[in-house]
Amino acid sequence: MGTVEPQVATTAETVTADGFQLVIDALKLNGIDTIYALPGIPITDLTRRAQADGVRVLSFRHEQNAGYAASIAGFLTQKPGICLTVSAPGFLNGLNALAHATTNCFPMILISGSSEREIVDLQQGDYEELDQLAIAKPLAKAAYRVLHAEDIGVGIARAIRAAVSGRPGGVYLDLPAKLFPQSIDAELGKKSLIKVVDAAPKQIPAPEAVRRALDLLKGAKKPLIILGKGAAYAQADSEIRNFIEKTGIPYLPMSMAKGLLPDTHEQCASAARSFVLPGADVVMLIGARLNWLLSHGKGKTWGGKSAKDWGGQKFIQVDISPQEADSNVRIHAPVVGDIGSCVRAFLAEMQSGWAKPPAEWLNAVHDKKTGNIAKMAETLAKNPSPMNFHSALNVVRDIVRANPDAILVNEGANALDFTRSIVDMYKPRKRLDVGTWGIMGVGMGYCVAAAVTTNQQVIAIEGDSAFGFSGMEVETICRYNLPVCVVILNNNGVYRGDEVNPTGRPDPAPLVFVKDARYEKLMEAFGGVGVHVTTPAELRKAMEQALHSRRPTLINAMIDEKAGTESGRITSLNPTAGKKK
Ligand SMILES: Cc1ncc(C[n+]2csc(CCOP(=O)(O)OP(=O)(O)O)c2C)c(N)n1
Ligand SMILES: [Mg+2]
């Protein structure tokens, strides 16, 4: 492909701008300063010229990781994260992340170059021929294609609005190869660009919906509030905290809502989850959906007698999407609006005073919680050999407490579930994990975006299997010299590492990896720091050094290969041939 070209080409009379330039100008005009990319035909020059024009272009080793980076950049910044890929295979590699963004309500735009329309549509066998727009549509919140340079401004504006307004999601923007070299008059081109005004307009809840919700909450004997990652996304942190504290109601943070209030807050009921869910009579969901992560609002988790049985709770659901209510069980009081506006409306309505929930409920929650925390403290204090998840994560817990601004990326099964329950978070949007799908592979992409968008130290707690999905991006982390400390909780396999092939043949069991694999050498290969640790003391020292130096570091923490359970905490979702019932 070509070299860096001047921004505009000048002839005797006219100044022109080409498609490459208009895409870059349109993004910049809308405050987009970072692109997560993997170059190749037809977008190579787009990456070069974007960089030459002051956009930060982060180049990845696989599009899926660039896509996950873009998705979490969207979550962290409320601006659409941009992933840029080549056509067909690059596009497909990025598509997983696009679907992930849509599922998790993260604003993201996947921009892919595509092949020649006329040839693709007649299926005449073009280079990387694929009808990308049609394929992206069902997985994206919206999908658009731009064929003419003068429409680039509109295309980018529509993509931005679709990504961030209402319930955010993944948007696909198809840019055919032929678009990029198209030239139009520079003045005309400039005029065609749109600076999006109020891309994510506030959605104010109806006053009667606010009153209905608060009346229900007020009358509750055993109220509970659940904070979802929608609440974290909203960046209405002080309002949410004020609201929770004013109500005096126990709250449960969903995984990525941890830290909205510190997990050590006296109203936090995380340690009494299995007590408060079935026990509550009125539950207010704030930016949390009643999907599988909350057992669909029914079944034994909620005090129902069978899996389909509804508990006795009445639900208040605060959500930006009017379609969310009643998706699983009856919602008695839906409140539709953006989380910030809704919580502000609650606070305004509560001016007239608010009585704390009955002491009986608060005491019961407190007792349960204190008992469970004490039990956990006992487990954490043990120092078994070999190291297990608890003794390793006890160290991580201390390090995060001492470094509350660090961002924690987390994936795996046991490595995920134990980290979520053991490591307290103290500030909003510091915990980034597998999200709604429980997807493996987000790790290193998330690390890059978290470091780049916040400039904070990143700590990734990774299962050894989980890490493998994006492990090659440690080169990317080293290349950009990012303050990322990856800790692999290495139990030699998926869930655990001690399974054997029942046939006695040499192939290992499907869930088992090379024993004692030296993952830290991968980081060393690219100039980062690699450390192999077998004890909590060694782990502590290595993490402290990593955070002190801010150098790319990979700590390979050897965990008892018998320590994990199948599927972590979600064993019940795993169909088996009679082994466990
Ligand atoms: C994309 C994707 N593929 C496969 C899975 C299934 N899966 C769930 S957890 C997991 C890995 C668990 O092993 P590890 O990361 O080592 O965590 P451990 O339980 O051993 O701590 C896999 C493969 C998934 N969730 N996502
Ligand atoms: Mg493992």
Side-chain angles (χ1 to χ4, degrees):
M1 293 294 288
T3 51
V4 177
E5 290 170 22
Q7 294 183 14
V8 288
T10 315
T11 63
E13 321 77 53
T14 53
V15 182
T16 60
D18 64 11
F20 288 114
Q21 196 59 47
L22 291 167
V23 171
I24 295 162
D25 289 348
L27 291 172
K28 284 177 70 175
L29 185 65
N30 285 289
I32 289 169
D33 54 10
T34 308
I35 295 177
Y36 303 91
L38 203 158
I41 296 172
I43 51 92
T44 313
D45 257 7
L46 189 56
T47 61
R48 283 198 188 100
R49 287 178 54 180
Q51 185 176 58
D53 231 350
V55 176
R56 187 148 197 214
V57 181
L58 294 145
S59 199
F60 282 71
R61 306 300 294 258
H62 190 291
E63 291 88 350
Q64 183 169 299
N65 306 319
Y68 287 142
S71 75
I72 209 67
F75 171 76
L76 288 168
T77 64
Q78 296 183 326
K79 280 196 284 188
I82 308 291
C83 174
L84 178 62
T85 80
V86 304
S87 27
F91 157 78
L92 288 172
N93 284 345
L95 199 56
N96 204 326
L98 185 74
H100 170 75
T102 305
T103 302
N104 284 275
C105 317
F106 298 157
M108 162 184 173
I109 304 173
L110 173 66
I111 302 180
S112 294
S114 60
S115 302
E116 196 168 332
R117 283 262 36 97
E118 291 82 349
I119 303 182
V120 174
D121 288 348
L122 281 170
Q123 296 181 29
Q124 293 175 305
D126 202 6
Y127 168 73
E128 296 192 350
E129 175 182 297
L130 191 73
D131 189 357
Q132 296 168 198
L133 187 66
I135 291 165
K137 263 186 187 157
L139 299 172
K141 184 178 170 194
Y144 308 104
R145 175 185 293 130
V146 181
L147 290 173
H148 302 292
E150 59 267 35
D151 293 330
I152 286 171
V154 169
I156 300 257
R158 283 182 73 64
I160 290 171
R161 265 194 199 285
V164 298
S165 63
R167 172 174 279 177
V171 175
Y172 176 59
L173 188 63
D174 191 270
L175 302 183
K178 273 190 174 175
L179 177 75
F180 296 114
Q182 280 179 33
S183 280
I184 59 172
D185 176 79
E187 200 47 42
L188 259 180
K190 198 170 172 195
K191 271 200 219 151
S192 72
L193 302 185
I194 295 174
K195 185 168 166 48
V196 175
V197 177
D198 196 12
K202 283 203 175 64
Q203 289 179 226
I204 311 294
E208 58 272 26
V210 169
R211 277 194 295 273
R212 181 170 47 223
L214 288 183
D215 284 347
L216 185 54
L217 200 59
K218 219 180 267 177
K221 301 261 177 305
K222 300 171 174 182
L224 174 70
I225 296 174
I226 298 182
L227 299 172
K229 67 177 172 303
Y233 175 80
Q235 297 195 18
D237 308 332
S238 59
E239 291 94 331
I240 289 171
R241 184 172 181 150
N242 285 348
F243 173 65
I244 300 268
E245 289 181 343
K246 209 161 174 181
T247 63
I249 294 174
Y251 73 93
L252 271 185
M254 298 300 288
S255 193
M256 281 177 59
K258 273 165 72 75
L260 253 176
L261 290 82
D263 282 338
T264 46
H265 195 282
E266 60 166 356
Q267 285 169 255
C268 180
S270 292
R273 190 179 195 270
S274 53
F275 175 75
V276 291
L277 289 180
D281 60 351
V282 174
V283 179
M284 176 182 260
L285 302 155
I286 304 183
R289 294 170 287 183
L290 280 178
N291 57 20
W292 72 278
L293 288 155
L294 283 170
S295 308
H296 307 282
K298 57 193 161 196
K300 293 192 174 150
T301 308
W302 293 89
K305 283 178 207 64
S306 64
K308 298 251 162 160
D309 194 27
W310 296 9
Q313 293 82 6
K314 289 187 171 167
F315 287 101
I316 300 160
Q317 185 155 34
V318 185
D319 200 284
I320 197 151
S321 165
Q323 285 162 283
E324 188 55 42
D326 304 328
S327 57
N328 285 277
V329 294
R330 181 182 304 114
I331 300 297
H332 287 80
V335 183
V336 176
D338 68 278
I339 302 294
S341 298
C342 291
V343 174
R344 275 188 287 277
F346 293 149
L347 282 168
E349 185 69 24
M350 286 162 74
Q351 290 298 346
S352 45
W354 187 269
K356 301 259 144 115
E360 204 184 326
W361 171 240
L362 297 184
N363 292 341
V365 177
H366 179 263
D367 291 350
K368 193 80 201 166
K369 178 178 149 176
T370 319
N372 286 343
I373 289 176
K375 261 189 246 161
M376 177 62 95
E378 253 175 55
T379 314
L380 292 178
K382 290 184 188 146
N383 191 2
S385 179
M387 181 157 69
N388 65 9
F389 286 104
H390 288 90
S391 57
L393 287 167
N394 188 39
V395 172
V396 179
R397 174 185 160 95
D398 289 348
I399 300 273
V400 170
R401 188 192 299 123
N403 299 276
D405 285 315
I407 294 186
L408 186 80
V409 170
N410 187 204
E411 60 177 338
N414 295 280
L416 175 88
D417 292 335
F418 285 125
T419 306
R420 186 180 55 239
S421 59
I422 292 170
V423 179
D424 290 329
M425 305 306 298
Y426 299 88
K427 295 195 175 184
R429 293 173 296 286
K430 296 297 186 185
R431 189 187 148 84
L432 311 174
D433 68 24
V434 299
T436 311
W437 269 347
I439 203 167
M440 296 301 112
V442 293
M444 297 305 105
Y446 274 20
C447 286
V448 172
V452 162
T453 56
T454 69
N455 203 29
Q456 296 289 349
Q457 173 71 44
V458 179
I459 299 169
I461 305 297
E462 299 273 313
D464 52 328
S465 165
F467 173 75
F469 286 72
S470 66
M472 194 62 206
E473 302 296 345
V474 296
E475 188 276 329
T476 310
I477 290 167
C478 288
R479 188 163 16 107
Y480 296 106
N481 195 23
L482 300 174
V484 175
C485 170
V486 181
V487 178
I488 297 182
L489 299 179
N490 185 0
N491 60 356
N492 294 339
V494 176
Y495 313 136
R496 51 197 285 153
D498 59 345
E499 209 160 308
V500 290
N501 180 344
T503 67
R505 295 205 181 110
D507 281 358
L511 290 92
V512 168
F513 298 147
V514 165
K515 302 270 183 201
D516 303 325
R518 302 300 293 260
Y519 293 103
E520 74 279 10
K521 295 198 185 292
L522 196 55
M523 187 60 105
E524 286 172 357
F526 304 110
V529 179
V531 195
H532 181 256
V533 304
T534 57
T535 65
E538 288 170 358
L539 175 60
R540 191 180 301 271
K541 186 165 160 231
M543 286 189 81
E544 280 171 356
Q545 269 174 5
L547 267 58
H548 180 72
S549 71
R550 282 176 64 91
R551 285 187 64 195
T553 301
L554 192 155
I555 304 170
N556 185 10
M558 303 310 297
I559 300 288
D560 184 356
E561 66 174 10
K562 297 188 264 327
T565 57
E566 182 141 340
S567 310
R569 292 269 168 90
I570 52 174
T571 311
S572 60
L573 297 182
N574 193 25
T576 59
K579 198 172 98 194
K580 303 175 276 310
K581 278 209 176 132

